[in-house]
Amino acid sequence: MVTSVLRYVEEHGTSIIAYWRDTYYVKTSEYQRRKQVPGFLEAKEQETLALFLKAHQQIQNGQIDYTIYEAIGEDRFDIQTPFSELVELPQTLCTAILEYLFEKIKSGDLMIPDETLFDYILLLRDIETRLRDGLVTGYLKQDGAAEFGAF
């Protein structure tokens, strides 16, 4: 029953996003260029959490509306996020989620059957792929996208 893991991730979303931020996001050039902008980091965290929870919800319903993620990709082009970082974003987010879950399992705070965890990992891979595809599609819609960023 993946539902129990979905519920756990949704309930701990803020902590998971904070873990992702501290472990992965602070290493990006996007963060380095904007860390002094008042409110940027908080807005980025809120956006990331909202997008992930939206994808979580949509995938449970069997569909993802790419237009939401395309708009984020377009925005990332506009703020000159390197393409390589855009592509890595869903991967680092999903890795952070798994690391968070594994730590909670190891500490005994989360007890789920292996089969449920495996099913969630497969679901998470699907979310990761769909998020990345939407972000990349939006990013590449922009004029000049082929010349911009580190491919």
Side-chain angles (χ1 to χ4, degrees):
M1 293 305 211
V2 173
T3 306
S4 61
V5 182
L6 291 168
R7 191 170 33 253
Y8 186 88
V9 169
E10 290 167 4
E11 290 170 0
H12 293 86
T14 302
S15 297
I16 292 169
I17 296 302
Y19 173 78
W20 165 78
R21 175 201 63 219
D22 295 341
T23 307
Y24 295 100
Y25 186 66
V26 296
K27 297 175 184 173
T28 66
S29 65
E30 179 182 276
Y31 171 76
Q32 294 304 319
R33 286 194 312 260
R34 290 176 178 72
K35 65 183 175 184
Q36 300 303 326
V37 175
F40 176 79
L41 188 56
E42 294 81 11
K44 177 69 175 184
E45 289 175 29
Q46 290 173 357
E47 173 190 72
T48 302
L49 178 60
L51 289 173
F52 180 75
L53 292 177
K54 185 76 167 170
H56 229 231
Q57 178 185 40
Q58 289 179 345
I59 201 118
Q60 290 177 74
N61 296 331
Q63 62 183 10
I64 287 193
D65 176 8
Y66 285 103
T67 57
I68 296 168
Y69 312 106
E70 287 177 10
I72 300 301
E74 292 172 14
D75 179 64
R76 291 307 172 266
F77 177 84
D78 291 342
I79 66 169
Q80 300 178 343
T81 298
F83 184 75
S84 60
E85 286 183 10
L86 178 88
V87 171
E88 289 174 356
L89 171 73
Q91 176 189 2
T92 61
L93 178 59
C94 292
T95 298
I97 292 165
L98 291 176
E99 289 172 350
Y100 186 90
L101 290 175
F102 292 155
E103 185 57 39
K104 294 303 178 182
I105 290 168
K106 283 175 29 181
S107 71
D109 291 340
L110 176 62
M111 302 192 64
I112 53 173
D114 288 346
E115 184 177 329
T116 300
L117 180 60
F118 298 147
D119 288 343
Y120 181 74
I121 291 170
L122 292 175
L123 179 65
L124 194 60
R125 294 286 302 165
D126 193 24
I127 292 171
E128 176 186 339
T129 300
R130 292 169 186 252
L131 283 172
R132 184 193 62 236
D133 291 351
L135 292 171
V136 167
T137 298
Y139 190 97
L140 294 178
K141 279 183 178 180
Q142 303 305 299
D143 289 336
E147 294 87 34
F148 181 75
F151 287 92

